[in-house]
Amino acid sequence: MDIALEKASETNASLKIKLTPKDYKPEVDKKLKDYGRKVAMKGFRPGKVPASLIQKMYGKSILVDEINNLLSRTVSSYIRENKLQVVGDPIPNREQADTIDWDNQSEFEFKYDLGLASDFEVYFHQLPAVPNYQIEAGTQEVDETIANLQNQFHGHEHADESAEGDMLYGELTQARAEGEPFSTKTALPLNKVAQEALPQFIGKKKEDTITFDIQAAFPDEKDRSLATGIKQEEAADLQGEFIFTIEDITRNKPADLNQEFFDKVLGPGNVESEEQFRERVQEIIKNNYEREANTLLRFTIEKTLLENIPITLPDEFLKQWLLEVNEGKFTPEQIEEQYDDFTKSVKLQLIKNKIAEQADIKVEFEEVMGVTRQMVREQFGFYGDDSQMNETIDRIARNYLMDDKSNGQNYTNMFNRVYDDKVIEYAKTQVELQPQTVTLDEFKELVAANNNR
């Protein structure tokens, strides 16, 4: 077998492979013998079909299959052993392949077009400093969070006059109806009343009556069902004017900042004063945004790598490869439109592979299992650490990774997730991180700006 790489440019090359009978014939002959032992043919006993007949019937297909398999292994091995930075897949020369005479040729020549990325290195010390944003929860964020918690753990109080958001209790009666009119004791939630109809319900007192159009006040069937206390399908048919006589008005009262409230939010005895409560709330806010800050840091590191490590790609080759591999799913215009995003993804993966090679980063099966176990815990709400639960989690995780229906994709996805995380964590230790404290609003602006790029 002869293999030769011919480079037309830094990013375009072709791989030529010449095969002689000694490269493929031993395996072809072996498979022909296997067929001879297994094939069942009328007029011959099992295993007694003449070799010449087996050759005539199956020889060509076996030859084609074996050479295709041999080529696939050879191309992959050559790329791996020579550490070629191939992008896309090798594209066989179709015209050359079509001229092959499989019945008469014994020597074959094949050609594959390769797209290569230009050579590059990752020198972390040459990269600019990366901002590492740390979110500071200010007084406003703490106040807003506490106010939301007070509303969440609210109590109730009676009101003399109705206001927006109140709950009205009383008698609801249909004004005019054929037959017996609809009538029930119910509660009208004013936060469900349509904005246009709301003024009719505001400023009312006990024993006042309100006449309103049921569908105008509650246009949503679910809200109409809630207000009348009947099934949604029945509430859908209600229409016309209704009269509501107010018997009571209740209003949500935010919880007081006292020990009972502190215990409900943070657990009994964890804080004993408003000052301690505010400190814990500030800490919780900061921790809640730590994940978002880490996500932005990851994005910024990737962006820094892309912008400071120049890589040239075989654009025309890749566009043609994308058309072929997607089998008519995309037009050339659509490929062109999405090409920039595609090349960023390719370049970033090449850079990460280079970092992994430099740092000797490897991913073990147990690491993949660990991440999968955590995913199972989160998805199924498994908490605790008893042996029976751990066995259940392990079984679900293994079944997910080894699921035949995914054709190995589940394992590949989880492997890539662990691999990617390890590369980024290593990069964090190599680049210069520049701590920057920002307010929550400033952080939100930074995230929005990056999302729009």
Side-chain angles (χ1 to χ4, degrees), residues 284-333:
I284 291 169
I285 293 172
K286 183 178 179 180
N287 291 339
N288 285 344
Y289 282 97
E290 189 173 336
R291 180 179 295 180
E292 284 81 354
N294 284 332
T295 299
L296 182 57
L297 176 59
R298 184 191 197 103
F299 176 86
T300 309
I301 290 174
E302 291 178 345
K303 182 171 176 285
T304 301
L305 292 170
L306 277 173
E307 290 180 348
N308 293 276
I309 300 176
I311 302 175
T312 305
L313 297 179
D315 295 324
E316 294 308 314
F317 172 89
L318 282 176
K319 290 174 185 177
Q320 182 59 38
W321 173 74
L322 285 169
L323 278 174
E324 290 189 15
V325 78
N326 285 289
E327 299 178 351
K329 294 178 183 177
F330 299 102
T331 65
E333 291 76 20

Side-chain angles (χ1 to χ4, degrees), residues 5 20 53 88 133 144 147 180 215 244 257 275 290-291 304 315 319 322 336 348 376 380 383 430 449-450:
L5 180 70
T20 62
L53 190 54
Y133 298 105
E144 289 176 354
E180 186 176 350
Q215 292 197 355
F244 185 76
L257 290 173
E275 182 181 0
E290 189 173 336
R291 180 179 295 180
T304 301
D315 295 324
K319 290 174 185 177
L322 285 169
E336 194 70 43
L348 187 58
V376 171
F380 290 90
Y383 300 102
Q430 301 301 306
N450 282 301

Side-chain angles (χ1 to χ4, degrees), residues 110-172:
F110 301 89
K111 180 180 177 182
Y112 289 83
D113 294 327
L114 305 180
L116 306 175
S118 60
D119 291 333
F120 68 94
E121 296 294 337
V122 179
Y123 298 115
F124 285 106
H125 67 278
Q126 294 181 355
L127 299 176
V130 176
N132 185 16
Y133 298 105
Q134 298 172 358
I135 303 167
E136 182 181 67
T139 302
Q140 179 182 347
E141 287 77 35
V142 174
D143 288 344
E144 289 176 354
T145 301
I146 291 176
N148 289 336
L149 289 169
Q150 286 178 284
N151 288 326
Q152 182 180 340
F153 291 91
H154 64 77
H156 296 94
E157 62 181 1
H158 294 280
D160 295 328
E161 187 172 286
S162 62
E164 191 169 346
D166 286 349
M167 183 75 77
L168 307 184
Y169 296 87
E171 182 84 21
L172 179 65

Side-chain angles (χ1 to χ4, degrees), residues 359-376:
D360 194 27
I361 292 174
K362 295 180 174 61
V363 176
E364 304 297 336
F365 175 78
E366 186 53 37
E367 293 176 295
V368 179
M369 271 294 291
V371 173
T372 309
R373 288 189 191 103
Q374 185 58 35
M375 181 190 73
V376 171

Side-chain angles (χ1 to χ4, degrees), residues 57-120:
M57 295 183 66
Y58 303 107
K60 183 176 177 179
S61 63
I62 291 174
L63 174 65
V64 173
D65 286 345
E66 173 53 28
I67 286 183
N68 282 335
N69 291 333
L70 178 60
L71 288 170
S72 178
R73 295 193 302 270
T74 299
V75 171
S76 297
S77 297
Y78 186 89
I79 290 171
R80 183 174 60 255
E81 290 168 5
N82 290 274
K83 296 183 178 180
L84 299 180
Q85 297 209 105
V86 173
V87 289
D89 296 319
I91 299 179
N93 188 304
R94 307 293 183 189
E95 293 182 3
Q96 183 187 48
D98 289 341
T99 62
I100 292 176
D101 184 350
W102 293 100
D103 293 313
N104 299 302
Q105 281 184 231
S106 59
E107 296 189 355
F108 304 92
E109 185 172 323
F110 301 89
K111 180 180 177 182
Y112 289 83
D113 294 327
L114 305 180
L116 306 175
S118 60
D119 291 333
F120 68 94

Side-chain angles (χ1 to χ4, degrees), residues 16 31 52 123 125 134 139 153 190 229 249 321 341 428:
K16 291 184 177 180
K31 289 185 177 179
S52 59
Y123 298 115
H125 67 278
Q134 298 172 358
T139 302
F153 291 91
L190 297 192
I249 304 168
W321 173 74
D341 289 338
K428 287 180 184 178

Side-chain angles (χ1 to χ4, degrees), residues 146-330:
I146 291 176
N148 289 336
L149 289 169
Q150 286 178 284
N151 288 326
Q152 182 180 340
F153 291 91
H154 64 77
H156 296 94
E157 62 181 1
H158 294 280
D160 295 328
E161 187 172 286
S162 62
E164 191 169 346
D166 286 349
M167 183 75 77
L168 307 184
Y169 296 87
E171 182 84 21
L172 179 65
T173 305
Q174 195 169 12
R176 291 179 296 274
E178 295 181 5
E180 186 176 350
F182 176 88
S183 181
T184 186
K185 290 274 191 180
T186 189
L188 298 186
L190 297 192
N191 62 346
K192 298 296 184 181
V193 174
Q195 200 64 36
E196 298 80 5
L198 190 57
Q200 302 174 73
F201 297 84
I202 302 300
K204 302 299 181 181
K205 300 178 180 180
K206 292 180 183 179
E207 299 184 3
D208 284 352
T209 60
I210 307 169
T211 302
F212 62 94
D213 184 285
I214 188 72
Q215 292 197 355
F218 298 96
D220 186 277
E221 292 177 5
K222 291 182 181 178
D223 294 339
R224 206 178 309 150
S225 173
L226 178 65
T228 57
I230 62 176
K231 295 180 180 179
Q232 185 175 330
E233 54 269 26
E234 296 174 4
D237 296 329
L238 289 180
Q239 57 183 324
E241 287 190 338
F242 278 68
I243 300 171
F244 185 76
T245 302
I246 301 175
E247 296 178 4
D248 195 11
I249 304 168
T250 63
R251 183 171 298 158
N252 289 345
K253 178 187 177 184
D256 293 327
L257 290 173
N258 54 28
Q259 191 62 46
E260 181 184 3
F261 173 66
F262 302 153
D263 290 347
K264 284 182 179 178
V265 176
L266 298 175
N270 283 318
V271 298
E272 297 178 350
S273 67
E274 182 177 341
E275 182 181 0
Q276 290 180 356
F277 182 74
R278 291 182 67 85
E279 288 174 357
R280 284 294 304 276
V281 168
Q282 187 172 33
E283 182 183 338
I284 291 169
I285 293 172
K286 183 178 179 180
N287 291 339
N288 285 344
Y289 282 97
E290 189 173 336
R291 180 179 295 180
E292 284 81 354
N294 284 332
T295 299
L296 182 57
L297 176 59
R298 184 191 197 103
F299 176 86
T300 309
I301 290 174
E302 291 178 345
K303 182 171 176 285
T304 301
L305 292 170
L306 277 173
E307 290 180 348
N308 293 276
I309 300 176
I311 302 175
T312 305
L313 297 179
D315 295 324
E316 294 308 314
F317 172 89
L318 282 176
K319 290 174 185 177
Q320 182 59 38
W321 173 74
L322 285 169
L323 278 174
E324 290 189 15
V325 78
N326 285 289
E327 299 178 351
K329 294 178 183 177
F330 299 102

Side-chain angles (χ1 to χ4, degrees), residues 375-383 396:
M375 181 190 73
V376 171
R377 283 184 178 275
E378 292 173 358
Q379 287 189 353
F380 290 90
F382 287 131
Y383 300 102
I396 296 173

